[in-house]
Amino acid sequence: LLFHYSFLFYFYGGEVFTMGVHSDIDRQIEKLRRCELITEDEVENLCQLARDIFMEEGNIQSISSPITLCGDIHGQYFDLMEIFAIGGDAPHTQYLFLGDYVDRGYYSVETVLLLLALKVRYPDRMMLIRGNHESRQITSVYGFYDECMKKYGSAHIWHLCVDVFDYLPLGALIDNEVLCVHGGLSPELESLDQVRMIDRKQEVPHTGLMCDLLWSDPDCQAVDFTLSPRGAGYLFGERAMDEFSRGNNISLLCRAHQLVMEGFKWHFNKRVLTIWSAPNYCYRCGNIASLFEYHGGDMHPRYTFKMFREAPQEERGIP
């Protein structure tokens, strides 16, 4: 049996308080912060709690500034610890993670479980949206499936996690003017109401609006839309961004999805921003990483970047 609790559920300060579960989640967070695995039963309970929270969130989750945005993590657990060290811990800092939590790094399991545990503990302070790697097909190829098999001895944990991925929101809207998705725009996208109407609780499709939101990239050579060399999504140009922005009162599109050696990159006269938060990507690319602190449209400065490099060698390990 997974639960032996009678639940009393209430919210205070963005934290979830449940009799019995509250202390369990705190204990699991502390264990995961030491890069230690939690039990299979605990993962099952955690995934159920996280899924229940994501079910209540919209396809585009409305949030308010100030908030710190993070790009791809890709299982680089010790660099996630660097993010919390320089950006502040939840719940003191409000975070929006833009997807791609797993694959390629050595610690995808610990990374995604810690993020889910923090989401359950502080649901209004930890926002997670879906990336293109939060899918069954991609994680079967790029490492997460194999890591689950190695660390837990079966595919059960992988199945639990990818089932949760189906419930992740597709985007977020900060202060009704800053749109955040993992990838980019779609030729099918005219209004944000189209995104709100998607049945997102599914594997990422190979084509269509949901696919494009997770796979597309900005490109200065494109005018409107051209097919992406990735084999999914599109390259979208400045005119496409202009038309979408005017039609939806969007001042800025924040996204991740692309390795940027400098940690971030502006596109189209600072109307699109790529954020990358996995330093020395794949432990060999030599790039730096960034956090994007958005203070608000009426604040001065409106935003700041925090740059960081990979965690020191003595603080990381290879499993």
Side-chain angles (χ1 to χ4, degrees):
L1 292 177
L2 300 181
F3 287 98
H4 302 275
Y5 304 110
S6 297
F7 291 113
L8 175 61
F9 214 26
Y10 65 96
F11 291 87
Y12 177 75
E15 302 182 12
V16 179
F17 287 84
T18 55
M19 298 301 292
V21 173
H22 177 273
S23 59
D24 284 351
I25 293 297
D26 282 343
R27 181 177 52 80
Q28 291 166 26
I29 289 172
E30 287 307 307
K31 194 170 186 179
L32 289 164
R33 282 187 179 276
R34 298 192 298 268
C35 201
E36 297 174 5
L37 295 174
I38 59 178
T39 69
E40 194 164 323
D41 283 348
E42 288 172 332
V43 174
E44 191 159 353
N45 295 341
L46 175 62
C47 287
Q48 180 62 58
L49 290 169
R51 189 177 68 175
D52 290 346
I53 291 171
F54 290 131
M55 285 177 65
E56 298 301 316
E57 296 183 341
N59 287 353
I60 300 178
Q61 189 69 2
S62 294
I63 51 183
S64 300
S65 59
I67 188 165
T68 297
L69 279 63
C70 305
D72 293 30
I73 305 297
H74 281 299
Q76 296 185 198
Y77 170 88
F78 292 99
D79 299 319
L80 176 61
M81 295 299 99
E82 288 290 294
I83 288 174
F84 292 137
I86 68 169
D89 259 326
H92 305 293
T93 299
Q94 180 179 206
Y95 280 103
L96 169 58
F97 287 83
L98 298 175
D100 279 14
Y101 313 113
V102 299
D103 288 334
R104 295 202 169 100
Y106 295 132
Y107 298 94
S108 291
V109 170
E110 293 87 347
T111 296
V112 74
L113 292 181
L114 177 57
L115 290 172
L116 290 177
L118 290 169
K119 176 64 180 179
V120 169
R121 186 63 172 85
Y122 310 112
D124 295 332
R125 302 292 290 174
M126 286 288 295
M127 311 305 299
L128 308 177
I129 66 174
R130 193 172 190 175
N132 63 304
H133 276 259
E134 277 69 63
S135 76
R136 292 165 184 80
Q137 181 179 9
I138 300 298
T139 55
S140 296
V141 175
Y142 289 99
F144 184 49
Y145 176 87
D146 291 337
E147 186 182 327
C148 291
M149 291 290 294
K150 177 182 178 181
K151 292 180 176 177
Y152 282 95
S154 76
H156 183 53
I157 298 300
W158 177 79
H159 283 291
L160 291 171
C161 290
V162 295
D163 285 348
V164 172
F165 294 163
D166 287 345
Y167 290 83
L168 287 168
L170 303 178
L173 189 61
I174 305 172
D175 299 340
N176 293 315
E177 64 170 345
V178 178
L179 178 64
C180 306
V181 296
H182 179 72
L185 301 183
S186 170
E188 298 182 18
L189 180 60
E190 296 181 0
S191 167
L192 290 179
D193 287 338
Q194 293 172 261
V195 181
R196 295 183 175 103
M197 294 174 64
I198 294 174
D199 180 6
R200 75 175 190 262
K201 300 172 185 67
Q202 58 176 305
E203 174 71 343
V204 179
H206 296 291
T207 60
L209 177 54
M210 179 172 166
C211 169
D212 298 342
L213 292 170
L214 275 56
W215 279 93
S216 292
D217 300 294
D219 189 283
C220 63
Q221 302 299 318
V223 178
D224 292 308
F225 292 93
T226 60
L227 290 176
S228 172
R230 294 179 185 269
Y234 288 84
L235 302 178
F236 62 95
E238 186 168 9
R239 187 165 71 185
M241 183 62 201
D242 288 346
E243 292 177 357
F244 175 77
S245 297
R246 285 195 301 269
N248 293 273
N249 296 316
I250 299 298
S251 64
L252 176 62
L253 172 65
C254 292
R255 39 95 62 184
H257 192 44
Q258 282 179 297
L259 170 62
V260 180
M261 295 301 292
E262 300 81 12
F264 70 92
K265 183 177 181 179
W266 290 106
H267 314 263
F268 311 148
N269 197 26
K270 292 192 173 182
R271 281 168 292 173
V272 176
L273 173 64
T274 297
I275 305 163
W276 187 263
S277 301
N280 194 28
Y281 180 45
C282 294
Y283 312 108
R284 64 176 182 268
C285 288
N287 61 286
I288 59 176
S290 74
L291 305 179
F292 179 65
E293 297 182 333
Y294 184 74
H295 308 300
D298 297 328
M299 301 298 290
H300 299 285
R302 185 183 179 194
Y303 55 80
T304 55
F305 290 95
K306 284 189 175 177
M307 316 304 295
F308 64 102
R309 295 191 177 274
E310 67 270 27
Q313 185 62 42
E314 60 270 18
E315 295 181 12
R316 63 172 70 243
I318 299 177

